[in-house]
Amino acid sequence: MKIIMLGAPGAGKGTQAKLIAEKYRIPHISTGDIFRANIKNGTELGREAKKYMDQGLLVPDELTVKILLDRVSQEDCGNGYVLDGFPRTIPQAQVLEEALNKLGEKIDYAIDVDVPDENIVRRMSGRRACLKCGATYHLEHIPPKKEGVCDVCGSNLVLRDDDQPETVKNRLKVYHEQTQPLIDFYTKKGVLRTVDGTQDMQDVFRMITEILD
Ligand code: AP5
Ligand code: MG
């Protein structure tokens, strides 16, 4: 099963993608997590990506597409995957579609996690992220068992550099301009499903499993 998570920054794509990956035993692939891991490890790719990410802008398609196509061609992707944060532009979606076409494959579902902008800024300021394993928490809604420490791998939790309120506003603007058109794109392909992302995390997941099962 090949699934794409759509939705504004902070809508809960990553949170739901992790749950999907566990339940359906497919890899969770987040381009944002790949970039953050590269920044943390001080790679050339990380340095390049950081210039854009810190301003809330998209990393150029040339860089992003290559990384994603490499990743989905790995062996663990044989039974499908859940993409979180890719595609984010129409050209990215077209490249992915062409690559899949060549293999006689297609995207099965594009799930739009729908959350209004008003809720987003509040969510982001409470988010804490693990840069080691990619786990995400929220100080109020989904707190870690021990304050400041990742439940999964025990690393320290941080406020992401791009979660400052000004940067979040930019990310929302970029989302509406460049990513939202994908909703129309996948509606026309007949694979778009929308879930109400303002509900409780487990309720959102239940709606998603009803679609996928
Ligand atoms: P990326 O890492 O993908 O960030 P994003 O899309 O902005 O999304 P977020 O990760 O911020 O939010 P999310 O939807 O995953 O929400 P989460 O589950 O954490 O990308 C970062 C940057 O990398 C981009 O700005 C860009 O520069 C670059 N980039 C990445 N991919 C790219 C691409 N394809 N092309 C170009 N550039 C690219 O949830 C948010 C918070 O809410 C958490 O605290 C969570 O615990 C909480 N929460 C989740 N669900 C609920 C709920 N139901 N109720 C209450 N709280 C909840
Ligand atoms: Mg995320």
Side-chain angles (χ1 to χ4, degrees):
M1 193 151 49
K2 298 188 185 63
I3 304 164
I4 289 172
M5 303 305 290
L6 294 175
K13 300 181 295 296
T15 302
Q16 296 300 329
K18 279 212 159 55
L19 297 171
I20 294 171
E22 267 166 40
K23 177 164 165 115
Y24 298 94
R25 297 169 186 280
I26 48 177
H28 164 209
I29 300 176
S30 157
T31 37
D33 285 352
I34 295 173
F35 290 137
R36 280 184 290 279
N38 275 275
I39 293 173
K40 189 160 176 264
N41 295 329
T43 69
E44 180 59 38
L45 169 67
R47 272 192 292 281
E48 189 59 27
K50 188 169 170 32
K51 289 188 215 159
Y52 300 92
M53 290 171 75
D54 282 354
Q55 300 176 64
L57 300 174
L58 296 184
V59 177
D61 285 345
E62 307 84 83
L63 275 181
T64 312
V65 161
K66 184 175 176 307
I67 289 161
L68 192 277
L69 293 183
D70 283 351
R71 180 63 190 88
V72 296
S73 67
Q74 287 171 22
E75 214 171 303
D76 63 336
C77 292
N79 285 330
Y81 39 76
V82 50
L83 299 184
D84 158 19
F86 187 100
R88 251 182 158 91
T89 63
I90 296 281
Q92 288 182 12
Q94 287 167 336
V95 172
L96 177 64
E97 189 177 36
E98 281 161 28
L100 288 174
N101 273 344
K102 279 188 198 147
L103 301 168
E105 296 172 358
K106 62 175 187 51
I107 292 299
D108 299 297
Y109 295 102
I111 298 176
D112 178 31
V113 183
D114 187 27
V115 177
D117 287 9
E118 305 84 87
N119 302 33
I120 297 280
V121 180
R122 210 171 337 129
R123 268 198 194 180
M124 304 297 241
S125 57
R127 170 161 61 184
R128 291 298 177 273
C130 175
L131 296 184
K132 180 139 185 256
C133 76
T136 304
Y137 304 86
H138 191 280
L139 294 182
E140 285 163 54
H141 310 296
I142 309 164
K145 293 198 183 84
K146 184 165 176 238
E147 200 186 314
V149 179
C150 179
D151 292 351
V152 182
C153 73
S155 302
N156 287 337
L157 300 176
V158 298
L159 178 70
R160 268 168 46 179
D161 286 346
D162 60 349
D163 278 349
Q164 311 297 336
E166 270 315 302
T167 315
V168 170
K169 282 188 200 136
N170 258 344
R171 285 161 64 197
L172 277 171
K173 184 164 171 278
V174 167
Y175 167 75
H176 289 299
E177 287 170 3
Q178 302 194 50
T179 307
Q180 213 169 17
L182 291 176
I183 293 185
D184 202 33
F185 181 93
Y186 286 111
T187 300
K188 286 188 181 135
K189 307 274 173 209
V191 297
L192 189 91
R193 303 287 185 277
T194 304
V195 295
D196 176 1
T198 63
Q199 303 297 309
D200 196 78
M201 174 178 105
Q202 289 303 340
D203 290 334
V204 178
F205 187 53
R206 192 178 36 74
M207 292 186 267
I208 292 177
T209 55
E210 278 168 12
I211 294 166
L212 301 180
D213 280 344

